[in-house]
Amino acid sequence: MYKLLLPVLLVLATPGWCSWPGGPSFVDPPVNVTVSEGSHAFLPCRVANLGDRSVTWMRRRNLHIITAGLLTYSPDDRYRVLHPANTDEWTLHIRHAQPGDGGWYECQVNSDPKITTPVLLIVRDKSLDDPFYMHELDTTDNSTQVHIEGAHERYIQRGSILAITCTVDHKGRAGPRQVAWYQGAARLHYDSPRGGIALQTEKTPSRTVSRLKLSAVTPRDSGRYSCRPDTGGFASVTVHIQSDQPQAAVHQSSRSAALAAAAPLLVTATLLTGHLTSAHLTSLSTYR
């Protein structure tokens, strides 16, 4: 009997002979895609075991469907999906990416249950790739010591306030008369067309501190910001404005809200428990 079953077991154990159909799944983990303004953006999505299901791309910010299958539903003709025949690739192609295109996208499969994978698109300011500015990054000037507080690359949410602090150390030397701020090659002023710009400078004999604040930032505010004292030297920081909150942040906010809503119930339950315990002890004391 065992001799008869052995060939069958060997055939079943042979790789590739038979694979039980599984549900759709994403081949690659979530990724961030960074491109320069005006270039082409390719947002990857690979789906295994798709079967008769379909792949949809959408913007998380407004839940707008961009593509479904091979069809494009966005009125913006810069968007299309790339799906080479007989492959698991469903790449979202965005031509001539602009700062407003930055943010979170989702690749979805209408399986049961539905599965999604996020992709963050970051569109860099064109001046970041300008050879003139890239050359400046390698230039050192010892006449003043200039630095910007915090990380040299920052990610903040749309609608937030962007605050950057630049410190100029000039102990034993004359301090700068002014500190100029730039976004890329454009100088920032109180009366800049953007509006909502605040500049503040504090001076001591050994240090000058200049602060830049931009209110209600949008993806157009992404780019490289630099402070330049008139005594020489400079410092810069790259800022990315995200149009949408990451999934983790949304989950955290929901969890915090749920805990806040449950707090009164927990207090009531605690007081009630304490009251019942007190009454129970009184009853036992009376009985004794």
Side-chain angles (χ1 to χ4, degrees):
M1 177 178 177
Y2 293 106
K3 292 181 180 181
L4 295 175
L5 289 176
L6 184 59
V8 177
L9 294 174
L10 290 175
V11 171
L12 290 175
T14 303
W17 177 82
C18 178
S19 59
W20 295 103
S25 62
F26 295 111
V27 177
D28 304 311
V31 297
N32 294 351
V33 176
T34 302
V35 298
S36 297
E37 179 182 354
S39 61
H40 292 236
F42 297 91
L43 279 57
C45 181
R46 296 174 57 200
V47 184
N49 303 321
L50 183 61
D52 59 353
R53 304 296 182 176
S54 63
V55 176
T56 300
W57 275 100
M58 66 183 297
R59 282 297 289 270
R60 181 181 290 180
R61 178 178 63 195
N62 51 18
L63 301 181
H64 173 69
I65 295 178
I66 302 173
T67 65
L70 296 175
L71 301 178
T72 302
Y73 289 91
S74 172
D76 192 335
D77 62 2
R78 297 179 303 120
Y79 291 79
R80 64 171 178 167
V81 67
L82 302 179
H83 174 58
N86 301 318
T87 69
D88 56 8
E89 299 178 10
W90 295 85
T91 303
L92 181 63
H93 177 205
I94 306 175
R95 296 184 297 114
H96 311 303
Q98 301 300 315
D101 296 322
W104 289 92
Y105 292 76
E106 282 190 358
C107 179
Q108 300 184 351
V109 178
N110 64 340
S111 54
D112 186 16
K114 178 180 68 177
I115 60 173
T116 67
T117 185
V119 178
L120 175 62
L121 173 62
I122 300 170
V123 182
R124 291 164 52 94
D125 187 277
K126 285 191 298 185
S127 64
L128 294 176
D129 297 323
D130 190 318
F132 174 75
Y133 291 104
M134 295 305 291
H135 173 72
E136 273 192 338
L137 294 178
D138 297 328
T139 303
T140 58
D141 188 330
N142 295 323
S143 62
T144 52
Q145 298 295 322
V146 187
H147 66 274
I148 288 179
E149 296 181 3
H152 293 292
E153 190 158 8
R154 304 181 189 177
Y155 297 83
I156 66 174
Q157 293 299 319
R158 180 185 186 131
S160 302
I161 296 176
L162 171 62
I164 307 175
T165 300
C166 176
T167 302
V168 183
D169 293 316
H170 44 79
K171 186 176 181 180
R173 296 187 297 269
R177 289 173 296 177
Q178 65 173 347
V179 178
W181 283 92
Y182 292 84
Q183 181 191 9
R187 185 167 177 175
L188 301 175
H189 300 275
Y190 291 105
D191 56 352
S192 295
R194 180 202 184 276
I197 298 177
L199 297 170
Q200 180 183 4
T201 302
E202 300 174 0
K203 296 184 177 182
T204 67
S206 60
R207 176 174 295 181
T208 298
V209 178
S210 179
R211 294 183 175 87
L212 168 70
K213 288 187 179 181
L214 274 67
S215 62
V217 295
T218 69
R220 292 187 179 276
D221 294 311
S222 297
R224 186 165 75 95
Y225 289 80
S226 58
C227 62
R228 301 167 184 265
D230 58 10
T231 49
F234 72 96
S236 63
V237 60
T238 302
V239 176
H240 305 283
I241 310 300
Q242 302 180 13
S243 297
D244 314 280
Q245 288 186 335
Q247 193 74 14
V250 175
H251 287 173
Q252 183 65 25
S253 299
S254 301
R255 183 171 179 268
S256 299
L259 290 174
L265 297 177
L266 292 174
V267 172
T268 303
T270 302
L271 293 174
L272 181 59
T273 303
H275 176 73
L276 292 175
T277 303
S278 177
H280 181 64
L281 292 175
T282 303
S283 176
L284 289 176
S285 177
T286 304
Y287 178 76
R288 289 177 179 176

